[in-house]
Amino acid sequence: MQLQPRLERGLIRVPVTDADELNASRALTERLRQVDELLERYATIAQLRAKPTSELGDDDRRTSWLHMSHFVASCMSMATDNLAATKQLLLPGGEQLEHRVTAHFPLLRAALESASTALWLLRPDVQRDRIIRLLQLRTTDIDYDLTLIKAAAKLADLRTPQGRSASQAAIRGGVARRKRHVNQMAKITEAEGISADDYVRGAPGHSVIVEQATDYPDLNGKYASTVWRLISGLTHPSPLRMMSTSKHGDTVDNDDGTLYVVASMNLAHTTNALLAAMMTYRHATETLAARVARVHHRPGAA
């Protein structure tokens, strides 16, 4: 089907005709069609329940009620949703590639961050390291949650007794919730012999998590982190990133001294970001499967 140029809210959408871009679009389309297979594999693994004797089962026992498996499931659900949405956006109906300018990059960034976080949690073979990483993430999560609650509480009409009461009640509830989490984490660390210094500062940033999680022979950690940085600049407004990642076509010299340049998003950046997200998702899925299946051996056991 031949797509005709059309104006779409300030953007001109045109069919791909350049030979190199056509090859790139075919490669991207093929990758997008592989997304469903990845999602189906995770759906199968997600239905498995970790036995108490498994590595993940023992992780959950030691981290109750801030279970390791719950955090992993939350991350993977977000990654799943964003990968599915990426395919739906770029390959509507599963047939014709319709490449966007930047709309898909927030989805790919969320998919990469979420899958990397799950993998970062699951990857260490030493159980103590997995538990510390969980506590770091839980600390960051509950701190951000309280920050949001305090910001939302300010939206109440503080000029009225009812508004002030509602605002104060929301903050008290958020503080109490954070205290429950902090107390539970303290119980876990005491039982595991973990120092508070190992986790109270929270988790590292996403660039570090992506790099540490994805350092595999088929996906270099520094490369994946660089991809994350690139698509982050295409998620937030960055004219410099938009220009540096675009392909520039014909230039029109106007009489008033200005230049018009026809620019289009380079398909390679989408393909690279999609590959990084998909490969991280696959590694997270298979690492989860291994932690569910593998029997935990207690130190000193024969």
Side-chain angles (χ1 to χ4, degrees):
M1 179 177 65
Q2 182 69 32
L3 293 180
Q4 297 300 318
R6 70 179 189 271
L7 185 66
E8 185 181 275
R9 299 185 182 181
L11 301 174
I12 298 176
R13 304 191 67 200
V14 298
V16 175
T17 56
D18 178 78
D20 290 339
E21 287 291 276
L22 282 171
N23 288 333
S25 68
R26 282 190 284 268
L28 177 56
T29 299
E30 183 62 28
R31 293 298 182 186
L32 287 165
R33 286 176 174 155
Q34 295 170 359
V35 167
D36 286 346
E37 183 180 345
L38 283 178
L39 304 188
E40 289 168 6
R41 170 62 177 163
Y42 172 69
T44 299
I45 300 302
Q47 294 181 41
L48 301 177
R49 291 295 174 261
K51 295 181 179 179
T53 53
S54 69
E55 289 182 341
L56 185 60
D58 198 63
D59 286 351
D60 277 350
R61 180 182 67 82
R62 293 172 182 271
T63 58
S64 179
W65 39 261
L66 300 171
H67 297 103
M68 176 83 67
S69 63
H70 292 180
F71 206 104
V72 170
S74 178
C75 291
M76 291 300 288
S77 294
M78 182 173 286
T80 299
D81 196 36
N82 281 280
L83 279 176
T86 300
K87 183 192 174 187
Q88 184 177 7
L89 177 67
L90 296 180
L91 202 66
E95 298 177 2
Q96 179 81 40
L97 176 69
E98 294 191 17
H99 195 259
R100 312 298 299 191
V101 180
T102 58
H104 51 288
F105 287 115
L107 298 173
L108 288 170
R109 177 185 174 183
L112 179 57
E113 288 178 355
S114 302
S116 293
T117 302
L119 182 55
W120 188 74
L121 260 180
L122 292 166
R123 189 168 181 191
D125 287 327
V126 177
Q127 185 181 51
R128 184 176 186 275
D129 293 342
R130 296 197 298 274
I131 293 174
I132 288 175
R133 288 185 174 187
L134 174 66
L135 296 174
Q136 289 174 340
L137 289 166
R138 289 288 190 184
T139 297
T140 297
D141 196 34
I142 195 62
D143 285 349
Y144 279 151
D145 187 69
L146 182 57
T147 299
L148 172 62
I149 290 171
K150 288 181 176 180
K154 294 178 181 178
L155 300 178
D157 188 351
L158 302 180
R159 296 169 298 178
T160 66
Q162 295 86 350
R164 289 192 296 272
S165 176
S167 176
Q168 292 165 2
I171 292 174
R172 284 197 302 270
V175 170
R177 184 183 184 190
R178 182 182 183 278
K179 185 177 180 179
R180 287 195 299 272
H181 279 70
V182 169
N183 289 342
Q184 186 62 22
M185 286 189 280
K187 291 179 181 177
I188 293 170
T189 57
E190 182 179 3
E192 297 300 319
I194 295 171
S195 168
D197 292 338
D198 289 328
Y199 72 93
V200 292
R201 288 182 293 274
H206 285 297
S207 63
V208 175
I209 288 177
V210 170
E211 181 173 336
Q212 292 180 351
T214 59
D215 197 13
Y216 284 86
D218 59 350
L219 183 59
N220 179 271
K222 292 186 183 300
Y223 170 79
S225 181
T226 300
V227 168
W228 175 85
R229 291 177 188 277
L230 184 144
I231 62 179
S232 293
L234 295 169
T235 296
H236 306 293
S238 172
L240 285 175
R241 190 65 51 82
M242 280 278 292
M243 290 301 294
S244 65
T245 55
S246 297
K247 295 190 69 173
H248 304 134
D250 296 334
T251 301
V252 179
D253 192 351
N254 298 290
D255 294 336
D256 60 2
T258 61
L259 296 177
Y260 287 157
V261 179
V262 177
S264 60
M265 181 54 62
N266 192 327
L267 289 174
H269 297 306
T270 299
T271 302
N272 292 340
L274 178 63
L275 273 174
M278 289 174 65
M279 293 170 72
T280 305
Y281 185 89
R282 177 173 62 83
H283 280 302
T285 298
E286 298 309 323
T287 306
L288 173 61
R291 298 286 177 223
V292 170
R294 194 175 297 148
V295 174
H296 173 74
H297 295 287
R298 301 182 185 279

